[in-house]
Amino acid sequence: MAAGYAELLRTRHAARLLAGTLVGRLPNATAALAVVLFARAEGGSYALAGALSAVYGVCNAIGQPLLGRAVDLYGQPRVMLPASVLSALGMALLAAVGLDVLWLAYVAMVIAGFFTPPLEGGLRALWPGVLKREDRVHAAYALDAVAQEVMFAVGPLLVTLCVAAWSEGMALLVINLIGVLGALSVVVSGPSRRWRSGPREAHWLGALRSAGLLVLIGAFFFVGLAMGSIAVAAVAYADEHGGGMVSSALLSALGVGALAGGLVYGSREWPGRPESRLRLLVGLLALGYLPLALVPGVVGMTALTGVAGVFLAPALACAFVVVDRHAPKGTVTEAFSWLVTTFGVGSALGASVVGPAVEGGGAVAGFAVAGAGGIAALLVLLSTKRFLGDPVRPTPDGSTAENDRNGTVEPGFRAGHQA
């Protein structure tokens, strides 16, 4: 397993692109925590801190697919780097004005959120051209999902260290400067500068005209909702079982499970159609969420959350393969960005709707929301199977061919059946 990933990362540009993208996404991964800490340090209430974070999140959700479409039209360097700089300037504006001029603080959040560069979708668009071999592309999707788990674990720690060493305002500046450097590392690379999206049909819906993509967006909205609810339910469980360190242990176990599952999934090729495999993986993911409502003792609960995380990274990795197969030609970055955005919106909504559930029924009710989210995601995929068939498009001779433009790995596909 390790040898396969090492071979992937030894491919020219691969390690640099993965590292640069992860570093470039650091501001987005830490924004909620960094903004809340800054607002509190400035004397703002939790309600105000939450409102600022919410504005950032909503604008991020709007900006990601729009910037992804711009990348597909104009290339990565022309969009990614200016967006990264503008987003960092938005955070710098917040650090400079504080909460004294409140409307400016909200403007800063709008700028920082909207212009967050779509580095995640951009990286997945680059993998096929960099790695060439189909098995490596599949492994890269899994490795990317795993690395994301690591980033979301390390990011908050880095914010805390910056606050301890300097201040909350300096943490905003340092994290976002690091993010600009990460984006710069990506866009000056050869693959990023050379990458061009395929010719696209002019259509105002862009990637959203794909029925298959809409199905994926619907399903992963509920997966995100489940993940967001787990984070809040874990805090409620900790309150009932000994304090904050318990919630950290549960969320760490969830991340370790996702890490292990992603590494195993990406270490081999899997037979069959990815659409069928995605339904299976989401089904297993939902099955892992259901026992959380049993809320056993801390040791048992930690084990259950570890198991619940195992199928998250594989499901995400497989979903990206399916996105690539169903995205209309010339919209791949936008399509990836839509999936990422929807997952994030679902997570934010899950964190908000689980609150009343926890207040009414405690941690049991909170984890029940997560289980319901997983089941809803599975039902979306099962009820829309006809929209996730093999994507086909006409060829010049009138026959049909797979719409797998980037040659994403799927064993059993013949080269002649790829666009």
Side-chain angles (χ1 to χ4, degrees):
M1 181 192 306
Y5 286 118
E7 180 187 6
L8 186 157
L9 292 174
R10 283 196 298 268
T11 303
R12 188 183 181 196
H13 300 297
R16 172 184 176 175
L17 290 172
L18 179 61
T21 298
L22 290 174
V23 171
R25 287 159 52 195
L26 190 61
N28 192 29
T30 60
L33 175 62
V35 169
V36 169
L37 291 176
F38 177 79
R40 291 294 294 158
E42 291 287 305
S45 66
Y46 279 109
L48 175 58
L52 290 171
S53 293
V55 169
Y56 176 93
V58 169
C59 291
N60 181 276
I62 296 171
Q64 285 287 292
L66 294 178
L67 290 173
R69 182 177 295 192
V71 167
D72 287 326
L73 289 171
Y74 305 112
Q76 294 194 0
R78 292 183 179 181
V79 177
M80 298 281 202
L81 186 57
S84 180
V85 171
L86 285 171
S87 180
L89 288 175
M91 285 297 190
L93 177 61
L94 177 66
V97 303
L99 303 181
D100 293 334
V101 186
L102 198 53
W103 69 270
L104 264 182
Y106 280 108
V107 168
M109 290 295 90
V110 170
I111 295 172
F114 183 86
F115 288 104
T116 299
L119 288 164
E120 189 171 356
L123 175 64
R124 290 176 180 124
L126 292 177
W127 280 137
V130 171
L131 299 174
K132 309 298 184 186
R133 278 174 34 191
E134 296 178 351
D135 58 322
R136 289 181 178 176
V137 174
H138 195 186
Y141 283 142
L143 183 60
D144 190 10
V146 167
Q148 178 174 285
E149 296 298 325
V150 175
M151 180 191 65
F152 277 91
V154 172
L157 175 60
L158 184 56
V159 171
T160 304
L161 292 174
C162 288
V163 169
W166 298 296
S167 67
E168 289 79 4
M170 186 59 70
L172 286 175
L173 297 176
V174 170
I175 293 296
N176 280 272
L177 176 60
I178 292 174
V180 171
L181 294 177
L184 178 64
S185 174
V186 171
V187 301
V188 299
S189 68
S192 181
R193 288 185 287 108
R194 291 190 297 268
W195 181 84
R196 294 292 182 274
S197 178
R200 59 187 283 154
E201 174 190 349
H203 197 290
W204 69 274
L205 280 175
L208 293 181
R209 68 182 184 273
S210 165
L213 180 61
L214 292 176
V215 169
L216 291 170
I217 287 174
F220 275 83
F221 168 82
F222 288 109
V223 173
L225 185 145
M227 290 302 299
S229 62
I230 286 176
V232 176
V235 176
Y237 178 88
D239 289 342
E240 299 169 5
H241 292 80
M245 291 302 295
V246 174
S247 63
S248 298
L250 296 184
L251 296 178
S252 294
L254 194 72
V256 169
L259 179 68
L263 288 173
V264 172
Y265 178 79
S267 66
R268 57 159 293 181
E269 295 183 38
W270 299 89
R273 295 173 58 251
E275 292 83 0
S276 300
R277 186 162 63 254
L278 181 62
R279 285 188 284 270
L280 174 61
L281 289 170
V282 171
L284 293 171
L285 186 66
L287 191 62
Y289 289 157
L290 293 177
L292 296 177
L294 297 174
V295 291
V298 174
V299 174
M301 195 65 187
T302 303
L304 285 180
T305 52
V307 172
V310 166
F311 293 101
L312 177 61
L316 285 171
C318 187
F320 288 124
V321 173
V322 177
V323 167
D324 187 53
R325 283 163 53 82
H326 287 266
K329 191 172 183 180
T331 67
V332 63
T333 308
E334 179 189 345
F336 283 136
S337 298
W338 271 116
L339 187 68
V340 172
T341 293
T342 305
F343 184 85
V345 171
S347 180
L349 184 61
S352 63
V353 301
V354 77
V358 167
E359 289 179 1
V364 173
F367 286 117
V369 172
I375 293 298
L378 178 61
L379 290 176
V380 169
L381 291 176
L382 291 177
S383 63
T384 55
K385 290 175 67 174
R386 65 192 181 94
F387 296 113
L388 283 179
D390 285 331
V392 295
R393 64 179 182 83
T395 58
D397 62 1
S399 62
T400 59
E402 298 296 340
N403 188 30
D404 191 2
R405 300 159 318 289
N406 292 328
T408 307
V409 62
E410 285 306 328
F413 278 78
R414 298 188 298 277
H417 282 181
Q418 295 174 351

